[in-house]
Amino acid sequence: MSRIVIVFDFDKTIIDCDSDNWVIDELGFTDLFNQLLPTMPWNSVMDKMMMELHSHGKTIEDIEGVLHRIPMHPRVIPAIKAAHALGCDLRIVSDANMFFIETILKHLGIREYFSEINTNPGYVNEEGRLRILPYHDFNKVSHGCSLCPPNMCKGLIIDRIQESISQEDNKRFIYLGDGSGDYCPSLRLKEKDLMMPRKNFPVWELICKDPLLVKAEIHGWSDGEELEQVLLHLINKISIEENAQLISSDCKLQNLSVSTPEALPKVLSVRP
C-alpha cells in the first residue's frame, strides 16, 4: 500500500470548467447571476440562484441533466483510476458543493475512488429545491484566514487532514489545484510533499510571485493529458524512493544480524 495522499481540487482540475458557472449558464440564468454577484459572497449567490431556479420551474432533474454534460478532459478519469489502483488515498477539497460533485462523480462512475470529499454542503430540501451552504459558517465566526474566501479556507482543511494521519505512517501529499483558493493549502504542505498547480491559472501565478514560500516540490501541468503524465510520474518516483529506503533498511538489518554472531563469542570468551 502506497503512503501517498492525493488531494484534488474539483472545478478546472478534475472537471474542465467551473461547475457553478456551468449550471447557471446552461440553464439560462447568467444575467441574474452577474447582477447578484457584486452584492454578496459567491457561496451565498449560489444558494440564492438555486432558489431562483426553483421559482422559475427548474427541477433537480434539470440540474442533474446539466451536470451530466459537464466538460472534462478524457485523460483525467484514467489518471484517477490509475492512482487509486496504485494504492493512493484520493481526496477532494473543493469550493463547489456536495450535490454538484457527487452528482458528477456518480455519473462518471468514480465516486468510490475518493475516501473523502470536503466541500460546501449541498442538499435538496423538503420543497424540492437545492440549498447550498458555506463550509465555514461565516455568519457565526470567521475562519481567520485573509487568503481565502469567507466560506472556506482550504488550508485549514489540509491542516485537519495532516493532523488526522499518524506521523508514523510517513504519508506524503500530492495537491492538485488551479484557483486562488488553492494557494493557502500549498503553503501548508511539507518539504516531502508535492504541489501540482495548473499552469497559467491563479494558483500558478500566486506561486510564481515567490516560489520559495512553498516548501513542497512544484510540478505544473496544463491540461488533463499533462495532469495524468505528471501525477503518475510523481507516484512512481515516490514509490521508487520508498522501495530504495526499504532496501537500505533491510541491508542494514542484514549486516547487523551477520556481524552480531561473530562479535558475540569474542565478548563471551573474555568472561571467566
Side-chain angles (χ1 to χ4, degrees), residues 32-49:
L32 179 59
F33 178 80
N34 290 337
Q35 290 173 22
L36 290 174
L37 193 56
T39 68
M40 63 185 82
W42 182 290
N43 183 252
S44 303
V45 173
M46 282 305 298
D47 185 55
K48 174 74 171 176
M49 288 305 303

Side-chain angles (χ1 to χ4, degrees), residues 3-5 162 165-175 188-195 214-219 234 237-238 241-242 245:
R3 293 197 295 268
I4 303 172
V5 178
Q162 289 172 330
I165 294 171
S166 172
Q167 294 296 321
E168 288 75 25
D169 290 340
N170 197 28
K171 297 278 189 179
R172 296 180 68 175
F173 283 74
I174 302 176
Y175 188 103
R188 313 293 180 110
L189 299 175
K190 309 289 193 300
E191 290 182 4
K192 63 181 180 179
D193 299 327
L194 303 111
M195 177 65 191
V214 179
K215 297 176 184 176
E217 286 184 21
I218 300 169
H219 297 266
L234 294 179
K237 176 186 173 186
I238 292 172
E241 291 173 357
E242 287 181 350
Q245 290 174 357

Side-chain angles (χ1 to χ4, degrees), residues 44-248:
S44 303
V45 173
M46 282 305 298
D47 185 55
K48 174 74 171 176
M49 288 305 303
M50 294 305 103
M51 183 183 73
E52 292 293 333
L53 292 180
H54 182 71
S55 67
H56 284 79
K58 299 298 181 181
T59 65
I60 295 300
E61 289 73 24
D62 292 331
I63 296 172
E64 289 175 336
V66 166
L67 292 170
H68 291 172
R69 304 195 304 268
I70 205 111
M72 64 184 301
H73 194 282
R75 297 313 305 169
V76 171
I77 293 178
I80 289 170
K81 290 182 175 180
H84 183 267
L86 291 168
C88 299
D89 177 4
L90 311 185
R91 308 187 186 209
I92 289 174
V93 177
S94 167
D95 198 5
N97 68 80
M98 190 65 77
F99 183 85
F100 285 7
I101 293 175
E102 289 207 318
T103 298
I104 293 167
L105 294 182
K106 288 175 181 176
H107 178 69
L108 296 172
I110 56 174
R111 172 61 185 91
E112 68 273 15
Y113 292 100
F114 296 92
S115 66
E116 182 181 39
I117 298 176
N118 300 274
T119 188
N120 298 296
Y123 68 94
V124 181
N125 69 7
E126 64 279 359
E127 298 174 357
R129 90 163 173 95
L130 182 60
R131 292 298 314 274
I132 298 174
L133 305 179
Y135 182 86
H136 299 297
D137 189 352
F138 53 85
N139 293 313
K140 292 182 178 179
V141 63
S142 169
H143 56 57
C145 176
S146 61
L147 295 174
C148 295
N151 64 291
M152 174 176 281
C153 173
K154 292 186 178 182
L156 290 177
I157 298 173
I158 291 299
D159 285 346
R160 180 190 57 75
I161 295 174
Q162 289 172 330
E163 290 168 3
S164 71
I165 294 171
S166 172
Q167 294 296 321
E168 288 75 25
D169 290 340
N170 197 28
K171 297 278 189 179
R172 296 180 68 175
F173 283 74
I174 302 176
Y175 188 103
L176 298 89
D178 72 282
S180 57
D182 297 307
Y183 182 61
C184 181
S186 77
L187 300 176
R188 313 293 180 110
L189 299 175
K190 309 289 193 300
E191 290 182 4
K192 63 181 180 179
D193 299 327
L194 303 111
M195 177 65 191
M196 286 181 59
R198 189 167 187 178
K199 295 175 184 175
N200 302 316
F201 277 69
V203 70
W204 172 266
E205 293 165 0
L206 287 167
I207 289 173
C208 286
K209 287 181 180 179
D210 192 348
L212 294 179
L213 292 177
V214 179
K215 297 176 184 176
E217 286 184 21
I218 300 169
H219 297 266
W221 57 281
S222 57
D223 58 21
E225 183 175 358
E226 196 170 11
L227 180 154
E228 180 184 37
Q229 292 172 351
V230 174
L231 180 61
L232 297 185
H233 167 73
L234 294 179
I235 294 171
N236 184 55
K237 176 186 173 186
I238 292 172
S239 298
I240 291 171
E241 291 173 357
E242 287 181 350
N243 289 334
Q245 290 174 357
L246 288 172
I247 292 170
S248 176

